Amino acid sequence: MNENKKFRICIVGGGSRYTPGILKMLVAEKDRFPISTIVLYDNEAERQERVCGYGKVLLREYYPECEIIHTTDPETAFTGIDFAFMQIRAGRLKMRESDEKIALKHGCIGQETCGAGGFAYGMRSVPAVCAIIKDIRKYAPEAWVLNYSNPAAIVAEATKRVFPGDYRIINICDMPVGIMGMYAQALGLPSKQLEPRYFGLNHYGWFTHIYDKVTGEDYLPKLKKMFATPMQDDEHTGHEVDASWAETFRFMSKMVRECGDKFMPNTYLQYYLYPKHMVSIENPDYTRANEVMDGHEKRTFEMIEEVIAADKLKGTKYEMTEEDFNDGHATYIVDLAYAISHNTQDIFLCMTENHGIISNFSEGAMVEVPVRVGVNGVEALNVGEIPTFQKGLLENQFAYEKLTVDACLEGSYEKAWNALTLNRCVNDTDTAKALLDDYIEANKAYWPELK
């Protein structure tokens, strides 16, 4: 099936700081997942043109049989594509900075997917993502849409409603992949040798088992012991990380000891289980958005300019290395596309509608669970009943996410206020109203009008 096919893909959000990494991933996977054309699509022409300039040099040297083009026109971008890889950020990092600083002004978490910041970002993402998918469906009715735009849980709830029954839209997040990579590093095993069992909502879940595909051993008990001890900044990751992520990995040991029970928590649970602590360590004048703008984004575009100026990668410090060709984390989107196109039935952690998967949880909620992936989309593995503590947390979070999507699609001020009130990182009606009013003022160019 599709053994000799060369695919045409579109990277939606072509001007993103992540696009160069995706392009390198596609080069590394060219023998397994051959591509004829990569189309970059973005609404920021100048920024995207710079990224495409890097891509042209990369492909000329490493993948000359594949062409790359860029466009701001949806018909050009989507006509004839097999896959759309969606990674948009409505409002870019400047609006993320606004989200974070407004939340911190009110003593609340501003993180981009959690708390008040996640709410503000979700209200921007839903209209933008849905508008793009409508264009994709206009020009490429059969294309697969692999969406990893944040906040993924809110986006998944919205796409489920706006495009009911469209099984070719798959919402996936790289965070579980990153955590699995950390587990593999700690165990000294290849990432793809591990197979997870997991339940929750996106950025809000628990690993129940970590199986070895070869031996069948469940490494979860061993991992719980390993991660119960505070780790050094790069321990178990194998590379240097930004300051905020280093703090996350150190804090994970506390969550494992105090909140792990028999499971391993997703790192994002720190925001929901310890919101006071998380606010206390934030700098209201220099947030994660500032860290990214001054760090990864700046480095990425400096690299792009240097490659374009040199007109080469080979023989420079940016030459592709063996590590680039064996980056298990970076290949997860190609792994997903390959599983679909070649009907592999491999297991991924994806978001899908809860129809009895978690038997004692809300019907129809977009849960993040293990799924088998093939030519007909995703098929979830059964989770069964979950404990009362986890169920209570998840039901509260789902109610918040559902109300956020309601507010966005219906233009409802009341439901937006209710959503923020329910969020565990806000949890106060007066604070929720003050936050909402500030966010409305800051997001006039992005949000629907709320009445």
Side-chain angles (χ1 to χ4, degrees), residues 19 32 83 89 133 183 196 217 233 247 261 271 318 379 428:
T19 300
R32 181 169 66 123
F83 291 92
R89 179 183 289 278
I133 294 178
Y183 292 165
E217 181 179 353
D233 289 2
E247 174 61 27
D261 189 23
Y271 295 104
Y318 301 119
E379 181 181 357
D428 179 84

Side-chain angles (χ1 to χ4, degrees), residues 65-79:
E65 63 271 34
C66 177
E67 71 166 338
I68 184 169
I69 62 174
H70 64 92
T71 182
T72 59
D73 174 56
E75 183 175 5
T76 302
F78 303 138
T79 299

Side-chain angles (χ1 to χ4, degrees), residues 99-123:
D99 295 343
E100 292 170 344
K101 291 182 176 179
I102 287 173
L104 288 168
K105 183 182 79 171
H106 292 280
C108 296
I109 293 293
Q111 202 276 339
E112 66 168 338
T113 62
C114 305
F119 168 84
Y121 186 18
M123 292 285 286

Side-chain angles (χ1 to χ4, degrees), residues 122 125-127 129-130 152-164 171 366 401 405 408-409:
S125 291
V126 166
V129 167
C130 290
I154 289 171
V155 170
E157 173 66 21
T159 57
K160 174 196 74 176
R161 297 193 208 176
V162 178
F163 306 97
N171 292 280
M366 291 298 288
E401 292 171 357
V405 176
C408 190
L409 297 182

